[in-house]
Amino acid sequence: MKKSFRGKLADGAQERIRLSTNNGLIGYQIVKFQIIDANPATGAPESVCKVYSSKPLDVSGAPISPDTTIDFTDPTLLASAFLKHGSTNTTYDSEIIIFDNMKFNQDIFITHSDAADTVTMNYYLELEQVKLSKD
């Protein structure tokens, strides 16, 4: 079974998607992650959206503000998407989406940060539901 989520994130915003269950035997895996700015005809975004398996924290345990740095050594990073288009707004110059095949059974967090503008970003996330064993 697949579950989909969609929403809108302002620049610097973070959203929690509640997935946890009582017994933890239902897991999820990302099968699709897409982003598009809320008003593609204006602005020139250089946006990064990221999906984390837990709330992003620094080494001291303090929450991290969304940023445009992508670090694949971070074990909590499940997916990242980068979207850039020029000021002419006639075509997208670049869209890169990468996601891990890791299974998870807890809430996830989506962040958005824009390096060049302050656009609002729409996201679409599709998860496949998988049964987990107690092992």
Side-chain angles (χ1 to χ4, degrees), residues 6-103:
R6 60 186 178 152
K8 202 183 308 188
L9 294 169
D11 182 26
Q14 175 176 279
E15 185 174 307
R16 177 185 205 155
I17 295 179
R18 300 197 181 272
L19 297 171
S20 57
T21 59
N22 289 336
N23 61 13
L25 294 177
I26 301 294
Y28 299 91
Q29 184 173 346
I30 297 173
V31 292
K32 186 183 281 187
F33 182 42
Q34 295 175 306
I35 61 174
I36 186 170
D37 49 325
N39 192 349
T42 63
E46 293 179 10
S47 289
V48 173
C49 288
K50 297 182 273 189
V51 180
Y52 290 94
S53 62
S54 61
K55 190 169 188 171
L57 304 172
D58 67 15
V59 291
S60 69
I64 296 174
S65 296
D67 61 23
T68 57
T69 302
I70 298 171
D71 180 5
F72 285 137
T73 64
D74 181 349
T76 65
L77 181 65
L78 297 170
S80 64
F82 173 70
L83 178 72
K84 175 184 177 177
H85 64 79
S87 58
T88 61
N89 299 315
T90 55
T91 60
Y92 285 105
D93 297 328
S94 178
E95 181 181 27
I96 301 168
I97 298 173
I98 300 169
F99 54 88
D100 196 351
N101 63 0
M102 186 170 110
K103 292 177 179 67

